[in-house]
Amino acid sequence: MKHAFAWLTALAFTLPHISTAQGETMTQDERAVLAVIETMTHSFQAGDIATVMNSYEPQATVVFEPAAPVSDADMIAQMFTGMAALQPEFSYPAGHEVIVNGDFAIHIAPWDMIARTPEGAPITQSGLSVAVLHRQPGGDWKMVIDNPHSARLLASHP
């Protein structure tokens, strides 16, 4: 019994910590990961594409359309620039989940977006964002994979 308790205690300290931004205490790494997501979102809404791109590793992959990942940095910047022209406003109504394991982290959050076409017609979208982040040698976190369309898999699930 003593060994089982010691094993479970050790396991609890080695498992990645899961947390949300609302109501739970986050570790410093979890807060840093969430800050990357928040900075990227605010910069995107403001049309600051340079800061958006700085949120990603140079070889990152972003999924702008379901099942169509883009890994070319110039194309990613062009896509963000075109989308920013719609002046999107994002919200995360259910909060954020951040899981950190060593130098890797995953961010999961449902999102809602409102924007306007160039003609002024409203656009509304929602989805589930799943982003993988990697700690850089200097300690900063950057996104490696960003898929805001992960909810599409749930739509086809019986």
Side-chain angles (χ1 to χ4, degrees), residues 46-132:
D48 181 358
I49 304 307
T51 302
V52 169
M53 293 304 293
N54 193 47
S55 301
Y56 294 90
E57 284 192 352
Q59 302 301 318
T61 298
V62 180
V63 181
F64 290 99
E65 296 289 331
V70 177
S71 297
D72 177 83
D74 291 336
M75 180 63 71
I76 292 171
Q78 287 177 359
M79 296 292 286
F80 277 124
T81 299
M83 292 171 56
L86 302 176
Q87 300 177 325
E89 294 180 27
F90 288 89
S91 63
Y92 299 94
H96 304 261
E97 183 171 50
V98 176
I99 305 167
V100 175
N101 189 348
D103 289 338
F104 293 93
I106 190 165
H107 169 265
I108 305 167
W111 56 270
D112 292 326
M113 189 249 344
I114 57 171
R116 297 227 172 254
T117 66
E119 296 77 30
I123 300 170
T124 59
Q125 291 184 346
S126 61
L128 178 66
S129 175
V130 176
V132 177

Side-chain angles (χ1 to χ4, degrees), residues 26-34 100 135 141:
M26 297 182 86
T27 68
Q28 182 176 350
D29 282 338
E30 291 166 342
R31 286 190 306 271
V33 167
L34 184 56
V100 175
R135 187 190 329 257
W141 291 89

